[in-house]
Amino acid sequence: MDPIVLGVSGASGTTLATRTAEALAEHADVYTVVTDGAKSVMDHETDARSHTIDRLETVSESVYDEDDFGAAIASGTFRTAGMVIVPCSMNTLAKLATGLSDSLLTRAADVTFKEDRPLVVVPRESPLGEIHLENMQTVAGRGATVVPPVLGFYYDPEDLDDVVDHVVGKILDRFGLSYDGFERWSPD
């Protein structure tokens, strides 16, 4: 399978990002870009930013800073199976909706759009305002899949890890990849 690009932007959801990276790495090479905003959020959501970056580096072929425009993922000639942005801040979503490529993350997403590759966006905000919804509709209209990390209860989650696994399973499902932590609906 071609590599998958993982973008980590500055919204709450560091655990979603690391678990997604680990799950993707079971199927493909992962090229990760972490924004400065994401690093700031990591400082608040994890014991140590360095530990989170270490986890991403362990499962990724490369981990890039947002200003590394010379990275392979900035070019459409670098073949990928697509990109996922998890978590996706409303700032990043707005840039995707307007085509603003002012960081490696938004450039890689722009490349994903122009090369007609799958783009999965996992927006992290609540409640959603009209502009947020319009931006989601805009990127969906351009071919992106919007996968908000919405709670589900049919699989009877026992703890937060079950909820995270469910969202990660939905993300991998968009690439046709399996994930053991994902339980599908079964009425039986």
Side-chain angles (χ1 to χ4, degrees), residues 72-120:
I73 61 174
S75 173
T77 61
F78 183 75
R79 291 187 52 88
T80 71
M83 180 176 184
V84 58
I85 303 171
V86 55
C88 182
S89 68
M90 293 300 108
N91 180 48
T92 298
L93 179 66
K95 291 175 181 183
L96 299 178
T98 59
L100 182 60
S101 298
D102 66 343
S103 71
L104 178 58
L105 188 148
T106 53
R107 171 62 186 162
D110 186 49
V111 164
T112 302
F113 272 136
K114 81 178 185 69
E115 297 295 331
D116 199 27
R117 297 173 182 154
L119 175 63
V120 178

Side-chain angles (χ1 to χ4, degrees), residues 50-186:
S50 61
H51 173 68
T52 303
I53 296 293
D54 287 348
R55 282 180 68 188
L56 291 172
E57 287 176 344
T58 298
V59 298
S60 300
E61 291 297 309
S62 296
V63 176
Y64 304 105
D65 290 326
E66 69 177 286
D67 59 351
D68 189 354
F69 285 95
I73 61 174
S75 173
T77 61
F78 183 75
R79 291 187 52 88
T80 71
M83 180 176 184
V84 58
I85 303 171
V86 55
C88 182
S89 68
M90 293 300 108
N91 180 48
T92 298
L93 179 66
K95 291 175 181 183
L96 299 178
T98 59
L100 182 60
S101 298
D102 66 343
S103 71
L104 178 58
L105 188 148
T106 53
R107 171 62 186 162
D110 186 49
V111 164
T112 302
F113 272 136
K114 81 178 185 69
E115 297 295 331
D116 199 27
R117 297 173 182 154
L119 175 63
V120 178
V121 179
V122 184
R124 263 291 305 119
E125 188 62 72
S126 181
L128 296 167
E130 185 176 353
I131 292 172
H132 303 143
L133 294 168
E134 288 173 1
N135 288 338
M136 284 184 219
Q137 185 174 14
T138 297
V139 299
R142 292 188 178 133
T145 301
V146 180
V147 181
V150 176
L151 296 175
F153 297 99
Y154 65 84
Y155 58 96
D156 196 25
E158 293 181 13
D159 55 27
L160 186 57
D161 283 336
D162 289 345
V163 174
V164 171
D165 282 340
H166 188 73
V167 173
V168 170
K170 286 187 170 274
I171 293 167
L172 266 67
D173 212 32
R174 303 313 304 167
F175 293 97
L177 302 173
S178 62
Y179 181 61
D180 289 339
F182 181 53
E183 192 172 323
R184 296 184 182 282
W185 166 251
S186 175

Side-chain angles (χ1 to χ4, degrees), residues 2-67:
D2 286 334
I4 296 177
V5 178
L6 170 66
V8 184
S9 72
S12 182
T14 301
T15 300
L16 284 171
T18 54
R19 191 86 52 87
T20 299
E22 292 164 348
L24 287 171
E26 293 179 15
H27 300 278
D29 291 340
V30 179
Y31 288 77
T32 303
V33 57
V34 180
T35 67
D36 292 342
K39 292 174 186 174
S40 179
V41 171
M42 287 174 190
D43 288 339
H44 294 284
E45 290 188 346
T46 62
D47 293 336
R49 177 196 315 170
S50 61
H51 173 68
T52 303
I53 296 293
D54 287 348
R55 282 180 68 188
L56 291 172
E57 287 176 344
T58 298
V59 298
S60 300
E61 291 297 309
S62 296
V63 176
Y64 304 105
D65 290 326
E66 69 177 286
D67 59 351

